């Protein structure tokens, strides 16, 4: 595993989250993108607003490990609501956008 992201689409996703740039974040997703959190399907817009982009969230991703050509990440994810959690993110990239991501607690 490595801490650098080799997939440029996933790299744009992480950069958008860390910059708090909701416009760039939306641009990296397909129009019909979906997501899950800890195995439960979530409304992508509502979840990202609550967990990443609201002023109370202020989400940030610090890459710990990357694998699967940069499409699977282990991240220390921090937001102002929950603090820092070790999480796993798996991305489905379609063309030059992300069509799905799954996140949840990383195995210990």
């Amino acid at each position: 595993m490595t801490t650098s992201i080799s997939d440029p689409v996933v790299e744009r996703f992480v950069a958008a989250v860390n910059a708090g740039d909701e416009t760039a974040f939306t641009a990296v997703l397909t129009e019909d993108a979906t997501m899950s959190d800890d195995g439960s399907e979530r409304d992508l817009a509502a979840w990202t607003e609550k967990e990443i982009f609201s002023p109370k969230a202020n989400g940030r991703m610090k890459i710990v490990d990357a694998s699967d050509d940069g499409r699977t990440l282990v991240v220390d994810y921090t937001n102002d609501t929950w603090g820092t959690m070790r999480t796993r993110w798996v991305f489905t990239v379609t063309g030059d956008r992300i069509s799905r991501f799954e996140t949840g607690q990383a195995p210990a």
Side-chain angles (χ1 to χ4, degrees):
M1 288 196 196
T2 180
T3 57
S4 64
I5 304 171
S6 56
D7 189 295
V9 178
V10 174
E11 188 173 40
R12 288 190 347 246
F13 178 100
V14 172
V17 169
N18 287 342
D21 187 340
E22 197 164 1
T23 301
F25 179 84
T26 302
V28 78
L29 301 175
T30 63
E31 289 182 22
D32 60 347
T34 61
M35 58 110 20
S36 70
D37 180 17
D38 283 327
S40 296
E41 293 300 309
R42 303 288 186 198
D43 176 280
L44 190 142
W47 187 90
T48 56
E49 177 60 24
K50 180 181 176 191
E51 300 294 338
I52 298 174
F53 294 110
S54 79
K56 291 182 179 181
N58 189 27
R60 286 127 17 237
M61 301 174 83
K62 180 180 177 191
I63 309 305
V64 176
D65 287 306
S67 59
D68 188 28
D69 294 324
R71 293 184 179 180
T72 299
L73 305 177
V74 175
V75 170
D76 283 339
Y77 182 77
T78 303
N79 71 23
D80 294 346
T81 303
W82 304 107
T84 300
M85 300 167 277
R86 177 80 33 112
T87 56
R88 183 173 185 258
W89 298 69
V90 178
F91 298 90
T92 302
V93 176
T94 304
D96 64 349
R97 292 179 160 187
I98 292 169
S99 57
R100 179 167 178 81
F101 67 91
E102 299 173 11
T103 186
Q105 292 204 1

